[in-house]
């Protein structure tokens, strides 16, 4: 049986991640508070942002920017999206 977490994005019990998505305390926090579905959705958004904005992941500013966008996404705050992106339910 898979583990469940109270997902901070969806505010309900959902299937949790299999392992922390990054090292350190931040990875552990995400592991304990973010569902597998929310993390997969963030990964898709992150990929679009990296591609759309031509982010270089070697640049500390780009990593800081993505981390801030991740926090906004997971907290259901307004976050930057790729230009021209229309969420599936709004098409």
């Amino acid at each position: 049986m898979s583990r469940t977490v109270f997902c901070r994005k969806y505010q309900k019990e959902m299937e949790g991640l299999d392992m922390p998505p990054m090292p350190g305390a931040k990875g552990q926090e995400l592991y304990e508070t973010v569902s597998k579905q929310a993390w997969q959705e963030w990964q898709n958004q992150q990929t679009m942002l990296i591609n759309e904005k031509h982010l270089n992941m070697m640049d500390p500013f780009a990593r800081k920017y993505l981390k801030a966008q991740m926090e906004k996404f997971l907290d259901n705050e307004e976050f930057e999206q790729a230009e021209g992106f229309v969420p599936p339910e709004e098409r």
Side-chain angles (χ1 to χ4, degrees):
M1 182 175 166
S2 54
R3 61 185 276 283
T4 61
V5 296
F6 186 79
C7 181
R8 73 190 230 200
K9 179 163 181 65
Y10 291 106
Q11 296 295 301
K12 64 180 180 179
E13 289 287 327
M14 298 179 74
E15 182 180 0
L17 295 166
D18 296 328
M19 58 191 284
M22 60 184 67
K26 187 62 183 173
Q28 189 63 34
E29 176 193 333
L30 293 170
Y31 180 70
E32 294 170 0
T33 62
V34 175
S35 68
K36 189 179 278 191
Q37 177 182 340
W39 187 252
Q40 182 60 51
E41 290 172 4
W42 165 246
Q43 293 289 287
N44 292 338
Q45 287 294 327
Q46 176 179 255
T47 299
M48 287 191 282
L49 287 172
I50 291 169
N51 291 336
E52 174 83 17
K53 299 188 178 294
H54 306 284
L55 298 178
N56 175 355
M57 298 317 300
M58 296 295 288
D59 178 3
F61 174 78
R63 292 194 308 268
K64 185 176 179 181
Y65 165 80
L66 272 181
K67 185 175 180 184
Q69 295 307 307
M70 175 188 74
E71 293 296 332
K72 290 178 182 181
F73 175 84
L74 294 173
D75 289 337
N76 289 315
E77 297 173 4
E78 197 168 309
F79 64 98
E80 290 190 39
Q81 296 186 17
E83 292 179 29
F85 174 73
V86 178
E89 61 273 3
E90 296 179 17
R91 288 185 184 159

